[in-house]
Amino acid sequence: MKSKYAVTAETFMDVYKYPQKYAIHPFKIFGNLYYVGNTSVGSHLIDTGDGLILLDTTFPHTYALLINSIWELGFSLYDIKYIVHTHGHFDHFGGTSQFTALTKAKTFLGAEDAKMFRERPELMLLRDCPYAYLEAFTPDVELGDNDTITLGDTTIRAVSTPGHSPGVMSYIIDVTDGKRRLTAAMHGGAGFNTLNLPFLREFGLDVETTRGNFLDGITRLEKEAVDITLGNHPNQNDTAGKRGRMLADPSAANPFIDPGEWPRFLADMKKRFSLMLEEEAAGF
Ligand SMILES: [Zn+2]
């Protein structure tokens, strides 16, 4: 059985061959929070006042775009002190070894994904991934639930939300423009491509436990009050649409600030997950 939620080599082949097609100009989301990812996968930069925090490093083949985005905003990649990862899939840590070779940045990853790197490294590449040469990195810090990361005037709280991978960390981030402090948040692994039945069976993962963990994670995130919903992939929070609205009318209210978006996003994810289970039961 082939699930429509599966990810195949074709999914990644285009970005693998033509990474430049996925480039977009970086921009300020709010205050000290910036978008530096590409059109396929997210990456965010936080200027803490005492160095930079980079949240995810995108695909192996897009790290040059990421470096360019950081320079284009006027920052130096040598000021990156922490690289914080949402989870241990290649599209989120693909550039990490390049950054740690160039900078002294300390790396953070959920403890269970660090374990996955050691014990089940095939899981970091997903199915049919073209980046077969990619090696895992050894994080300096293995994160557990509710751990906090503090640098300068920024604190990031990790919320364990496994399922998409065993060690997915969602992040609650306090951000500021110098006048007010807002809360930004990201679900660290919202994709169903590792939660569909063929994938779980192929890799010998327990179906009930994995899916139960995923739903528990959503329930825990529902308790958070969030002003800015970030996307682990930019389609999850309509990054491009909001950026377009910002450019069209810079004097209008910031489209990224919307306290209603977080509960809508989580509710939608639950609904789509139920739909996948219904389709699965119907034999799609
Ligand atoms: Zn992933």
Side-chain angles (χ1 to χ4, degrees):
M1 184 172 75
K2 184 150 176 91
S3 168
K4 71 174 187 180
Y5 298 93
V7 168
T8 64
E10 292 74 45
T11 314
F12 302 116
M13 196 50 82
D14 197 61
V15 71
Y16 177 76
K17 286 171 74 177
Y18 311 109
Q20 66 278 10
K21 273 172 44 179
Y22 295 81
I24 51 165
H25 291 291
F27 62 93
K28 177 186 285 201
I29 292 176
F30 166 79
N32 60 344
L33 171 66
Y34 300 84
Y35 188 76
V36 289
N38 54 63
T39 59
S40 176
V41 64
S43 176
H44 295 80
L45 191 71
I46 304 154
D47 179 7
T48 71
D50 186 26
L52 304 170
I53 298 176
L54 183 64
L55 187 55
D56 283 348
T57 60
T58 76
F59 295 96
H61 269 54
T62 50
Y63 78 89
L65 303 179
L66 180 54
I67 287 175
N68 191 55
S69 291
I70 294 165
W71 287 118
E72 190 176 331
L73 287 169
F75 295 113
S76 165
L77 66 102
Y78 302 115
D79 290 330
I80 299 172
K81 293 206 177 149
Y82 294 167
I83 301 175
V84 179
H85 298 87
T86 54
H87 65 281
H89 286 157
F90 69 96
D91 50 335
H92 300 277
F93 77 87
T96 298
S97 60
Q98 306 291 346
F99 277 88
T100 51
L102 292 166
T103 74
K104 293 189 170 62
K106 203 166 154 180
T107 55
F108 297 72
L109 178 71
E112 289 301 315
D113 274 9
K115 188 175 165 204
M116 175 184 85
F117 280 175
R118 293 190 296 270
E119 296 177 5
R120 300 286 312 269
E122 73 280 11
L123 287 171
M124 73 186 181
L125 294 173
L126 307 177
R127 177 196 278 118
D128 299 329
C129 171
Y131 303 95
Y133 62 87
L134 184 69
E135 290 178 357
F137 66 98
T138 304
D140 296 303
V141 179
E142 295 187 12
L143 292 167
D145 184 39
N146 221 23
D147 281 355
T148 55
I149 300 163
T150 302
L151 185 66
D153 63 3
T154 300
T155 298
I156 299 178
R157 180 163 47 89
V159 180
S160 171
T161 53
H164 175 78
S165 76
V168 172
M169 284 294 169
S170 294
Y171 293 113
I172 314 298
I173 309 162
D174 78 286
V175 292
T176 181
D177 63 355
K179 295 194 271 300
R180 55 182 175 155
R181 302 194 79 85
L182 296 179
T183 300
M186 178 189 294
H187 190 299
F192 302 165
N193 54 314
T194 52
L195 292 161
N196 63 79
L197 212 46
F199 182 91
L200 293 169
R201 284 183 176 156
E202 181 180 337
F203 288 95
L205 300 167
D206 187 80
V207 176
E208 295 304 316
T209 309
T210 308
R211 290 175 166 179
N213 287 343
F214 180 72
L215 290 171
D216 287 350
I218 297 175
T219 303
R220 298 171 67 224
L221 290 176
E222 284 169 345
K223 297 181 179 71
E224 305 290 339
V226 173
D227 302 299
I228 299 172
T229 299
L230 301 176
N232 193 225
H233 290 267
N235 61 337
Q236 290 168 1
N237 69 337
D238 189 25
T239 297
K242 288 174 185 153
R243 176 58 176 155
R245 294 205 289 285
M246 260 181 171
L247 288 168
D249 186 358
S251 63
N254 186 330
F256 283 91
I257 302 172
D258 177 1
E261 185 175 355
W262 184 249
R264 284 199 306 274
F265 165 72
L266 295 175
D268 178 64
M269 193 167 13
K270 267 187 174 168
K271 206 169 110 189
R272 288 184 296 105
F273 191 70
S274 300
L275 183 65
M276 181 179 80
L277 301 190
E278 279 170 33
E279 289 175 351
E280 191 178 279
F284 287 178

